[in-house]
Amino acid sequence: MFENFSEMMLELFAEALWETVLMVGVSGLLGGLFGIPLGVFLRLTDKGGVLENTPLNVVVGGLVNAARSTPFIILLVAIIPFTRWITGTSIGTWAAVVPLTVAVAPFIARLVETALREVDAGLIEAAQSMGATTSQIVCKVLLPEAMPGIVAALTISLVSLTGYSAMAGAVGGGGLGDLGIRYGYQRFLPDVMLAVVVILIVFVQLIQSFGDWLVRRISHR
């Protein structure tokens, strides 16, 4: 069954796995850098928030929802001009990072907002009564208290990014998805496709297990 796994094929698998790790890692990092502040902003401007501003919250929330509701494959194609402007190309691993980041940032934002909602309102009121500024409330109350939920949100986002990265491979994004399409599907090599699926499952399990461990460690501090 595995007669197609020559030395060259194993090298292709190693390269594709590295590309997938690169896409998921970089876009996850960038998505977090944009998504976490956006989630904090949505919570602060929401009804009952420290900086309550319903009209602004509705506008920004609507944009976030619009980005979240756009199927990734459509988003991938729709922002090709923006991707080319950023990376100079629309094909390859680094080009795939752009739509992956655009897709995951609003997803992270909503998950972070949800985690922040779970913070006890009494803690926020106590901080306000002691004269804490908005930045102090965010850095010393909201984020520390919601950290387990935020880490869980980032874990879910990385798992979702793994699926998105495989989808990006269908349009020249590289990674395991590209390998599975080019060899497993187009060249009718089912053993290659099976190996890609198994590797992706193991990859996701490792991300989820590490995220769960990190959440437990933070929660017990």
Side-chain angles (χ1 to χ4, degrees):
M1 181 177 179
F2 297 100
E3 64 273 6
N4 295 306
F5 283 81
S6 61
E7 183 178 347
M8 184 192 73
M9 181 61 69
L10 293 176
E11 290 177 358
L12 288 175
F13 265 97
E15 181 181 356
L17 177 59
W18 168 245
E19 289 174 349
T20 296
V21 171
L22 197 62
M23 284 190 287
V24 172
V26 174
S27 56
L29 176 61
L30 293 175
L33 290 176
F34 288 109
I36 293 176
L38 184 56
V40 171
F41 175 82
L42 288 171
R43 179 66 192 103
L44 293 177
T45 57
D46 196 10
K47 185 177 180 179
V50 177
L51 301 175
E52 183 176 342
N53 189 326
T54 301
L56 183 59
N57 182 272
V58 169
V59 171
V60 176
L63 293 174
V64 169
N65 290 337
R68 286 181 58 207
S69 61
T70 304
F72 178 69
I73 193 66
I74 295 177
L75 178 68
L76 187 66
V77 175
I79 66 170
I80 283 178
F82 178 68
T83 301
R84 283 180 180 156
W85 181 71
I86 294 292
T87 64
T89 180
S90 60
I91 298 175
T93 301
W94 289 109
V97 167
V98 177
L100 286 170
T101 302
V102 173
V104 80
F107 183 67
I108 292 175
R110 281 303 187 190
L111 291 176
V112 168
E113 181 190 13
T114 301
L116 294 175
R117 288 180 185 277
E118 300 300 319
V119 177
D120 188 356
L123 294 175
I124 300 174
E125 292 174 359
Q128 288 177 310
S129 67
M130 290 186 289
T133 63
T134 301
S135 60
Q136 288 174 329
I137 291 174
V138 170
C139 296
K140 296 184 178 181
V141 179
L142 284 175
L143 291 179
E145 291 295 322
M147 191 54 66
I150 292 174
V151 171
L154 292 175
T155 301
I156 295 171
S157 300
L158 289 176
V159 170
S160 298
L161 275 174
T162 303
Y164 290 163
S165 70
M167 200 180 303
V171 291
L176 290 168
D178 179 53
L179 184 66
I181 293 294
R182 285 192 294 117
Y183 289 89
Y185 177 72
Q186 295 177 347
R187 301 191 185 185
F188 304 102
L189 301 177
D191 50 345
V192 173
M193 182 67 79
L194 176 61
V196 167
V197 172
V198 170
I199 292 173
L200 285 172
I201 290 174
V202 172
F203 185 67
V204 167
Q205 289 294 332
L206 290 173
I207 293 174
Q208 189 66 59
S209 298
F210 178 73
D212 292 343
W213 171 81
L214 198 55
V215 169
R216 289 193 298 269
R217 180 161 185 174
I218 294 174
S219 299
H220 293 152
R221 283 183 177 178

